[in-house]
Amino acid sequence: MKTDLSPRVQVGLYGLMCVLLIPFVFPTWWMVTSSVKPISDVFAFPPDLWPRQFDFSTYRQVFELQPFTQQYWNSAYIAAIVTVGTMVISSMAGYAFARIRFPFSNAIFMVVLLGLLIPSEVTIVPLFQIFLKWGMINTHWPLILVPIFGAPSVFATFVMRQFFIALPGELEEAARVDGLGRFKIFWLIALPLAKPALGAVAIFTFLHSWNLYLEPIVFLSSSSMFTLPQALTQFTDAYGGAMWNIQLAAATMTAIPVLLVFIVAQKQFVEGLAHTGLKG
């Protein structure tokens, strides 16, 4: 039975949630406000919740000290290609494992899932040797191919498989009666119904690609090829010390697409997890 909470209880719950929200909101607030502070005020104690003076020149210096526009574009187009590629591969693989009966399908799927148990640090040296022989070092190809065919795609395949398993079999039977083949059933029936799961996969994949750090360090060497996580570490002075206010300005601009993607697609994200049986 559903009971209505009294106004006093509701105010208390909202107050409690606001208090619990502080540890999550404060770091972001500190990052944004410190990006417009003089470097001497960044680590003031106790920290200033509002800058004593605003210095927006840090945002201009981000683009002067590094080819930040190019680096931003690198991260954006790599994340877009990886997201689309992973959605294509994982949706087809997930549908095959869920709806097509072939020998040893469950055993093969378990072998695929083992890819999630292998840390990326274990495979990074063999991958470097492979891409070195292919002449792809200091290019973006490793940052595109490894995520699409690596662990992120495995997890995405798992999410899509769980969604397609839950689809009623009567939909496919009706489609076969209408004369549709396997691919048309997937393309015209199953895939349109999988939009919530695809939304969850898109968010997971985009965030993973956008925040990728180890692989760019290994495969890239020139600043014009850097992605944003790697570029953030390059804002240093002549003595190698970190220029914190400029780094925080760059980090603030780096976080904007992540926040926008999650705000726009959070409904699909929640629906996708609900339909696949995963819980946060």
Side-chain angles (χ1 to χ4, degrees):
M1 175 182 284
K2 182 179 180 181
T3 57
D4 294 328
L5 298 176
S6 65
R8 182 177 298 179
V9 174
Q10 291 181 7
V11 171
L13 289 176
Y14 283 124
L16 177 61
M17 285 188 290
C18 290
V19 172
L20 295 176
L21 193 64
I22 292 176
F24 302 95
V25 174
F26 179 74
T28 303
W29 176 262
W30 180 84
M31 176 184 71
V32 175
T33 56
S34 296
S35 68
V36 293
K37 294 178 183 177
I39 193 169
S40 58
D41 294 343
V42 171
F43 292 107
F45 187 83
D48 297 322
L49 296 180
W50 191 256
R52 299 175 186 175
Q53 60 183 32
F54 290 85
D55 181 14
F56 290 100
S57 65
T58 53
Y59 285 86
R60 185 189 71 250
Q61 294 178 61
V62 168
F63 296 93
E64 293 176 348
L65 297 175
Q66 291 286 330
F68 198 70
T69 302
Q70 180 64 47
Q71 293 162 349
Y72 217 99
W73 166 249
N74 293 342
S75 284
Y77 97 84
I78 291 173
I81 293 176
V82 169
T83 300
V84 173
T86 301
M87 290 170 65
V88 172
I89 297 295
S90 64
S91 61
M92 292 191 295
Y95 180 81
F97 282 119
R99 313 302 297 187
I100 301 176
R101 298 291 176 263
F102 56 90
F104 309 109
S105 60
N106 291 331
I108 295 174
F109 183 67
M110 292 303 297
V111 172
V112 172
L113 286 183
L114 289 177
L116 293 175
L117 305 179
I118 303 175
S120 58
E121 293 81 0
V122 174
T123 59
I124 194 68
V125 174
L127 287 173
F128 180 85
Q129 295 295 332
I130 292 173
F131 287 114
L132 180 62
K133 291 182 179 179
W134 291 350
M136 294 182 179
I137 298 300
N138 200 33
T139 72
H140 291 149
W141 281 110
L143 308 185
I144 295 173
L145 297 177
V146 173
I148 291 179
F149 298 101
S153 185
V154 172
F155 180 76
T157 299
F158 171 76
V159 171
M160 297 304 301
R161 176 183 179 270
Q162 296 303 108
F163 180 89
F164 287 130
I165 284 178
L167 288 181
E170 292 80 4
L171 292 175
E172 289 191 359
E173 294 175 3
R176 290 193 186 95
V177 171
D178 291 338
L180 296 182
R182 175 65 69 180
F183 182 78
K184 285 190 175 181
I185 293 175
F186 164 74
W187 183 255
L188 299 177
I189 306 297
L191 197 60
L193 295 174
K195 288 181 180 179
L198 288 172
V201 167
I203 293 179
F204 274 124
T205 306
F206 181 87
L207 294 182
H208 178 270
S209 178
W210 188 263
N211 295 322
L212 203 62
Y213 182 69
L214 174 63
E215 285 78 359
I217 289 179
V218 173
F219 295 118
L220 303 179
S221 57
S222 59
S223 61
S224 62
M225 301 297 292
F226 286 174
T227 55
L228 291 177
Q230 188 178 10
L232 293 178
T233 65
Q234 305 301 309
F235 293 101
T236 57
D237 57 25
Y239 300 99
M243 305 168 71
W244 292 109
N245 53 349
I246 298 177
Q247 281 193 0
L248 292 171
T252 299
M253 290 186 285
T254 300
I256 291 175
V258 176
L259 294 175
L260 291 178
V261 167
F262 190 79
I263 291 172
V264 171
Q266 65 176 340
K267 180 179 179 181
Q268 289 79 4
F269 177 75
V270 174
E271 289 181 358
L273 294 185
H275 282 82
T276 55
L278 300 178
K279 297 182 179 180

